[in-house]
Amino acid sequence: TYTGDNIRDGHFANVRNKALGSQHLLSLPREHGNSTSGTFGYLGGRVTLPGTGVSLLVPHGAIPQGKFYEMYLVLNKAESTLLPSEGTQTVLSPAVTCGPTGLLLCRPVILTIPHCADISSSDWIYQLKTQSHQGNWEEVVTLDEETLNTPCYCQLEAKSCHILLDQLGTYVFVGESYSRSAIKRLQLAIFAPTICTSLEYSLKVYCLEDTPDALKVTLPCNAGMGCPCFPKLFVL
């Protein structure tokens, strides 16, 4: 083994530890199973929450050279997060936290979140909202109304939204219908016990948004029934 490799690796490890040690930034509690993290430097990288469609892409050069940051993603549970409900708006995505907040970025990162809007319908008005430290939801941008001063940009695809962000935080994608004819995709998830010892047979039926995270969150709640889930999709 070439000793120079060990010296070089040790040098970069020391630089990384010093950079992380000087990272005094606001962070949020992370919950096992609904969060993930990674340490990134100048070369960037990607962190993904498996099975949810949520990811954070840190491009090359987004983090200052010589710095290393631990960055994380949290999928916020609906029952523990007060989701925005204003007028006739409806929530189209999970509320996702990417952090830590207050991070100095040299270029935008890309947050990808799933959504359940049928974008073939032109009746949607889409908005991205962020949650303040006081817990209030504030509008960040309305899609197709971006300007040079818009704090972020969104690229909408059939089942996901890619958001270019300069500031990390908690975000959610919402929509409002022009004429009440916009379509929101939903799915039915049915749970049943594998063994029935009586004449009674119990079923649990959930109506969920048609996003991967909705089913992922529901599955552990019904693991005690000892049964697989058979989701049946339908459009509302």
Side-chain angles (χ1 to χ4, degrees), residues 121-136:
S121 169
S122 59
D123 292 312
W124 281 113
I125 303 173
Y126 300 108
Q127 284 187 351
L128 181 71
K129 293 195 172 187
T130 187
Q131 191 173 34
S132 67
H133 296 309
Q134 291 74 31
N136 301 318

Side-chain angles (χ1 to χ4, degrees), residues 46-49 52-58 73-75 93-98 109-115 128 153 155-157 159-165 171 173 213:
R46 182 193 296 268
V47 61
T48 301
L49 267 172
T52 65
V54 177
S55 67
L56 181 68
L57 175 64
V58 183
L73 285 173
V74 179
L75 185 66
S93 79
V96 175
T97 299
C98 54
V109 296
I110 302 173
L111 175 66
T112 298
I113 56 176
H115 69 79
L128 181 71
Y153 292 90
Q155 178 182 338
L156 192 63
E157 295 185 351
K159 293 188 176 183
S160 61
C161 182
H162 307 287
I163 309 162
L164 275 70
L165 298 171
Y171 294 92
F173 194 54
D213 66 283

Side-chain angles (χ1 to χ4, degrees), residues 10 17 58 162 166 235:
N17 291 335
V58 183
H162 307 287
D166 286 320
V235 174

Side-chain angles (χ1 to χ4, degrees), residues 40-97:
F40 303 101
Y42 180 75
L43 296 179
R46 182 193 296 268
V47 61
T48 301
L49 267 172
T52 65
V54 177
S55 67
L56 181 68
L57 175 64
V58 183
H60 181 278
I63 296 175
Q65 200 156 10
K67 297 286 187 180
F68 291 88
Y69 294 145
E70 183 189 11
M71 304 175 74
Y72 60 83
L73 285 173
V74 179
L75 185 66
N76 299 292
K77 291 185 177 180
E79 61 268 22
S80 60
T81 304
L82 184 61
L83 295 175
S85 57
E86 182 179 338
T88 57
Q89 287 184 343
T90 182
V91 175
L92 298 173
S93 79
V96 175
T97 299

